[in-house]
Amino acid sequence: MSDCLLLIDVQKGFVTERTEYVVPRLKELVRMGFDHIVATKFVNRPGSPFVRHMGWRGMMSSPDTDVLDFVEEVADGVEEKNGYSAVCQRINDYFHENGVDRVYIAGLDSDCCVLKNAADFFDLGYDVTVLMYYTASNGGEDSVKAARTVLSRMIGEDHVVDGRLDTD
């Protein structure tokens, strides 16, 4: 069996003064020897729930929707999504074809897409670990802390890692 680093929405439009600190951390993380790396790319659409219910029209076009270059360079694939979850047939097929049973999750935003994907892949039976040191939120540090609390209840305390991964 193998592992996969799932990089959630590491895109230009989500990198702000509240999240930019995590970019160098993610650059370090992608060099740590995961068997597979898959990235997601959120693209908002006219008429989406984000537009209809929240009035939010961000992340609809380039350059905001562009995945950061270093992610594009290392990812085995980039899956576009139009909601919080990356659970789709293509990713599930990719995981099955490559024997992925363990999913490490990092990226943006801790309290939204990272949390949702951790729960969804957990529900599908994958061994999921969220690497909190390698996540950030545009909601700020309180949102990251709230996500950590919820994640520890949803997927288990042992599956939420706070510190930097050992490179040895």
Side-chain angles (χ1 to χ4, degrees):
M1 300 312 275
S2 66
D3 64 41
C4 181
L5 173 62
L6 184 60
L7 293 172
I8 304 294
D9 303 347
V10 183
Q11 297 169 249
K12 292 178 182 177
F14 288 133
V15 177
T16 66
E17 69 273 352
R18 285 188 157 183
T19 63
E20 64 190 358
Y21 70 88
V22 81
V23 173
R25 295 177 183 186
L26 289 166
K27 286 180 179 178
E28 173 186 293
L29 180 65
V30 300
R31 295 190 307 266
M32 289 191 185
F34 293 93
D35 297 324
H36 306 277
I37 298 176
V38 173
T40 67
K41 171 183 173 174
F42 173 75
V43 178
N44 197 3
R45 300 279 184 221
S48 73
F50 301 98
V51 173
R52 289 190 331 268
H53 303 300
M54 299 168 68
W56 183 62
R57 288 173 171 73
M59 300 301 289
M60 287 191 159
S61 61
S62 182
D64 287 345
T65 59
D66 295 345
V67 173
L68 298 187
D69 290 343
F70 78 92
V71 172
E72 193 85 50
E73 291 168 7
V74 300
D76 299 326
V78 176
E79 184 66 31
E80 182 176 313
K81 61 188 187 67
N82 304 115
Y84 293 114
S85 185
V87 171
C88 67
Q89 196 61 49
R90 281 187 17 190
I91 288 181
N92 218 12
D93 288 347
Y94 178 85
F95 284 0
H96 286 300
E97 290 165 9
N98 290 283
V100 173
D101 61 340
R102 184 171 186 119
V103 180
Y104 294 92
I105 298 178
L108 305 168
D109 280 338
S110 313
D111 54 323
C112 295
C113 293
V114 168
L115 187 148
K116 173 71 167 137
N117 282 283
D120 287 352
F121 283 101
F122 176 87
D123 281 347
L124 290 175
Y126 291 98
D127 182 359
V128 176
T129 300
V130 176
L131 306 172
M132 294 302 296
Y133 180 78
Y134 304 94
T135 73
S137 175
N138 280 291
E141 193 57 35
D142 287 343
S143 292
V144 174
K145 289 176 185 175
R148 199 244 178 264
T149 298
V150 172
L151 283 162
S152 68
R153 288 189 35 84
M154 290 178 77
I155 66 172
E157 182 67 33
D158 292 344
H159 294 273
V160 182
V161 177
D162 293 314
R164 181 184 213 156
L165 290 184
D166 186 7
T167 57
D168 293 330

